[in-house]
Structure formats: C-alpha cells, structure tokens
Amino acid sequence: ESICERGGLMYCLIVYPVLAVLCIALFYSLKPQFAWISIPCTVIIELFLYWENFSYYEARGLMILLTMLQIVIMAIILFVLRWRSIKK
C-alpha cells in the first residue's frame, strides 16, 4: 500500500509540491548561492517517501513524469530567485 493510497490523492497533491517549496526556502534562506542543492535533495527525499510508487510498474511512468515536471518547475523558480537577487 503506497502513501498516496493511504492518504489519498489530495495528500499526494499537497505534500508533493510542499516538499519542493520547503527545500527551496530552506536552502535559499541558509545560503542563496547553494539553493540549487535543493533540487537533488528533494528528488532523494521523494524517492524515499514514494519508493512504492516508483517501484510499482503501473505508477512508475507517472511518478517519473511528476518528478521531472517538479525538477523543471524548481529550476525555473531558482533561476527567477537568482535573477532577482542579481538585479538588486
């Protein structure tokens, strides 16, 4: 039984992006030039949290797609934050 099945779809839709936002906020507040480290840290944490979904053959493609989408969105957010900090 996966986390998404136990907590429901809303749990996955809320926790999945919240983890990424928290990692970006944490790393950016500690040291803005190392904020990019939040991307691999988020992926590793999500692999541990959602391993059952990644290893289940029917959900694997969806989880990979969601993870890749999240990486792209995180990279865009970090580029915008970096651009704004350089502009100041």
Side-chain angles (χ1 to χ4, degrees):
E1 183 177 17
S2 69
I3 291 175
C4 289
E5 290 171 0
R6 279 188 301 235
L9 181 61
M10 289 307 293
Y11 174 83
C12 285
L13 292 177
I14 292 170
V15 172
Y16 207 73
V18 166
L19 179 64
V21 170
L22 287 177
C23 281
I24 289 175
L26 175 72
F27 280 99
Y28 192 79
S29 66
L30 293 176
K31 198 119 170 138
Q33 59 262 39
F34 294 124
W36 62 270
I37 295 175
S38 64
I39 294 174
C41 286
T42 302
V43 171
I44 291 170
I45 292 169
E46 287 175 353
L47 278 173
F48 284 120
L49 286 177
Y50 301 111
W51 181 251
E52 291 176 2
N53 292 333
F54 278 104
S55 61
Y56 184 60
Y57 71 97
E58 288 182 349
R60 185 178 301 134
L62 179 61
M63 291 305 291
I64 291 172
L65 178 68
L66 287 174
T67 303
M68 296 302 281
L69 181 65
Q70 185 176 31
I71 289 170
V72 169
I73 292 170
M74 287 177 71
I76 291 170
I77 291 170
L78 289 170
F79 280 128
V80 168
L81 287 173
R82 180 75 174 155
W83 179 70
R84 290 187 72 201
S85 68
I86 290 174
K87 206 171 181 183
K88 286 184 181 181

